[in-house]
Amino acid sequence: ILDETDTTSLSLRTFSTTFKASPITMMKDIVVDPRNEAEVATYSFSFLPTTPLEQGSQIVIKFPIVYDRNLGRSLICLTAGGLVGSISCIVSNRFVYVRNFESYVPSSDQPIVILLYGVVNPNVDPLNPYTPSIQISTSIIGSNVFIDLNAEAVSYTHLTLPTIYSV
């Protein structure tokens, strides 16, 4: 990571290295309902990080650029498994930050389940109906270093809207 404390000079800059992020296991495919383009949908993520999460950690879900930067008009974020606490979600420029949970020890019996209601599905490119991947990561709040990461957690196909043809 490049220390950018003085952007006017290239001298006295430092580099620091970190370990490679551990993987995040998707417990099942993302559930998107409905899957039609431009529809308001519910997204369900079920996953298992490798590293235990301490208080002060966050889960970050990064949506690709084909989505609206706010993801929808009124997004509701809930946890349906794994995490406990006064959980909050922040949406900013296609990122969803899940915070304020108590520590979590990964367990296949209790995977983390995050539900996002109100996401507007992106428009479909007729030449390439696959949506670029959604990324899921964990980190410490305020840090830009991943603890766990799945850069290609989810890739799926949206359905085009039905059209009416006249004969």
Side-chain angles (χ1 to χ4, degrees), residues 56-71:
S57 298
Q58 66 182 352
I59 297 166
V60 181
I61 302 171
K62 178 185 175 187
F63 284 80
I65 198 163
V66 295
Y67 284 82
D68 179 78
R69 62 186 316 262
N70 296 320
L71 300 178

Side-chain angles (χ1 to χ4, degrees), residues 16-164:
S16 58
T17 59
T18 61
F19 292 104
K20 179 181 176 183
S22 299
I24 289 178
T25 303
M26 299 307 291
M27 297 304 289
K28 59 182 177 180
D29 286 336
I30 182 176
V31 177
V32 178
D33 185 40
R35 288 185 28 202
N36 292 348
E37 68 177 327
E39 290 271 354
V40 176
T42 299
Y43 284 59
S44 175
F45 302 89
S46 178
F47 60 94
L48 196 60
T50 301
T51 309
L53 302 176
E54 302 296 329
Q55 285 186 327
S57 298
Q58 66 182 352
I59 297 166
V60 181
I61 302 171
K62 178 185 175 187
F63 284 80
I65 198 163
V66 295
Y67 284 82
D68 179 78
R69 62 186 316 262
N70 296 320
L71 300 178
R73 290 186 183 193
S74 58
L75 197 70
I76 297 172
C77 173
L78 299 172
T79 58
L83 300 177
V84 294
S86 302
I87 296 162
S88 67
C89 292
I90 300 166
V91 178
S92 176
N93 202 25
R94 293 180 202 89
F95 286 83
V96 177
Y97 300 91
V98 181
R99 298 177 173 171
N100 297 334
F101 47 83
E102 296 175 11
S103 60
Y104 170 78
V105 177
S107 164
S108 57
D109 296 334
Q110 286 292 317
I112 295 172
V113 179
I114 297 175
L115 303 173
L116 298 176
Y117 296 95
V119 176
V120 176
N121 291 333
N123 291 329
V124 174
D125 177 352
L127 301 177
N128 182 11
Y130 291 97
T131 301
S133 293
I134 295 173
Q135 173 181 298
I136 299 177
S137 63
T138 62
S139 63
I140 302 298
I141 295 173
S143 170
N144 60 354
V145 177
F146 297 126
I147 298 170
D148 293 340
L149 171 68
N150 189 330
E152 296 180 350
V154 180
S155 185
Y156 52 91
T157 305
H158 282 290
L159 306 173
T160 57
L161 289 174
T163 53
I164 300 174

